[in-house]
Amino acid sequence: MVDLQRTNERLEELLSCVDHPKAVKPGQKLYCGLDLGTAFIVLVVLDEDGNPVDCKYQFASVVKDGMVVDYVGACDIARHLKEQIEEELGVELEECAVAIPPQTELLDGGVVRNVAESTGMECTAVFDEPTAANLLVGTKDGAVVDIGGGTTGISVFKDGKVVECIDESTGGTHFSLVLAGAKGMSFDDAELYKRNPENHGEVLPIVAPTIDKVTSIIKRACSGYDVPEVILVGGTAELTGIEGRVKKYLGIEVHKPNHPMFVTPMGIALGCMLKAKELQDA
């Protein structure tokens, strides 16, 4: 089973850097993870030991169903986040990695890479989102499920290796559509209502059928494999109680870190660091 406590500790450390970035020395090697999400763009910075240094994020609507639909807007926000961090740290960020939904490399991998490189950073690696998330979570035998805004991506691990990796079009956008219809509000209002933890007790039963759809996707991905645990990450997994609903349907252990939205971006930054070390050792 994953060490959820350790994951939560690292996420808390990361979030503390949002308002209190760590001091860095001139010439210190830093590694970045840029996550272009449906609702938020997140930029995470780690040091050479994988410790969080800074983190910034901004609401965005530049991605739909896992694909970049506003390239200029994505570039502008990514550049703004980079400049904000550089001003705080007093250094230039040089290397980053990115991630995309599974099975979309040929469709959108180049676009996401180009967004990263438009900021002036070198994009050293492109990961699929749930596999990147597992660089932080660290399951050896289990499934990591990244429930994003437009899609749900799943990586199934056996003995630490990916044996299945899929992505299907159901996610937080669909939750908001159902909520908007049920409460007679606009989509944008439903998005805001859904994100407020005070409303989660009301939201959960309304979107339960959509959670069950996500769970059916997870079940199909895990079919044929011995999967003892499922770990939920991604912005949509922030919904309080979602893990209990998924567990009831699947009948296996389901875990969720305390801040699931930040698991994948931190995992991407860890991937950037690991890629650099691989090149150094080659």
Side-chain angles (χ1 to χ4, degrees), residues 109-123:
V111 176
V112 176
R113 178 189 290 273
N114 289 343
V115 170
E117 295 192 336
S118 75
T119 68
M121 292 187 288
E122 178 187 0
C123 183

Side-chain angles (χ1 to χ4, degrees), residues 258-275:
N258 289 342
H259 305 285
M261 187 181 95
F262 294 92
V263 174
T264 298
M266 188 168 180
I268 298 169
L270 286 169
C272 181
M273 179 191 73
L274 293 172
K275 182 68 173 180

Side-chain angles (χ1 to χ4, degrees), residues 5 15 25 36 50 61 64 71 73 92 97-98 100-102 142 149 152 158 170 174 205 238 252 279-280:
Q5 180 178 346
L15 289 179
K25 301 176 182 177
L36 301 181
S61 55
K64 183 177 181 181
Y71 178 76
E92 182 178 355
V98 296
I100 57 177
T152 294
K158 179 67 176 177
T170 301
H174 304 83
E238 297 275 353
I252 60 177
L279 294 175
Q280 291 172 4

Side-chain angles (χ1 to χ4, degrees), residues 135-155:
L135 293 175
L136 175 62
V137 173
T139 186
K140 298 296 184 183
D141 296 284
V144 176
V145 180
D146 189 327
I147 312 175
T151 66
T152 294
I154 305 162
S155 289

Side-chain angles (χ1 to χ4, degrees), residues 8-152:
N8 286 335
E9 288 172 353
R10 299 193 72 186
L11 289 169
E12 292 292 348
E13 186 180 0
L14 175 67
L15 289 179
S16 72
C17 294
V18 173
D19 296 320
H20 304 284
K22 304 289 181 61
V24 297
K25 301 176 182 177
Q28 183 176 357
K29 201 68 175 176
L30 299 175
Y31 303 98
C32 304
L34 179 65
D35 187 15
L36 301 181
T38 303
F40 289 90
I41 293 180
V42 185
L43 181 59
V44 169
V45 183
L46 307 179
D47 66 17
E48 64 275 8
D49 296 317
N51 300 312
V53 172
D54 205 342
C55 174
K56 293 291 180 287
Y57 58 95
Q58 182 175 323
F59 177 77
S61 55
V62 299
V63 174
K64 183 177 181 181
D65 293 334
M67 301 292 158
V68 176
V69 295
D70 180 359
Y71 178 76
V72 173
C75 292
D76 287 345
I77 294 173
R79 184 167 53 252
H80 170 70
L81 295 176
K82 174 178 178 278
E83 291 173 351
Q84 189 178 0
I85 290 176
E86 287 178 335
E87 183 177 352
E88 288 184 344
L89 300 181
V91 298
E92 182 178 355
L93 302 178
E94 298 178 349
E95 294 183 34
C96 79
V98 296
I100 57 177
Q103 303 174 332
T104 62
E105 172 67 36
L106 296 179
L107 295 173
D108 211 43
V111 176
V112 176
R113 178 189 290 273
N114 289 343
V115 170
E117 295 192 336
S118 75
T119 68
M121 292 187 288
E122 178 187 0
C123 183
T124 58
V126 179
F127 299 95
D128 72 76
E129 291 166 344
T131 301
N134 197 50
L135 293 175
L136 175 62
V137 173
T139 186
K140 298 296 184 183
D141 296 284
V144 176
V145 180
D146 189 327
I147 312 175
T151 66
T152 294

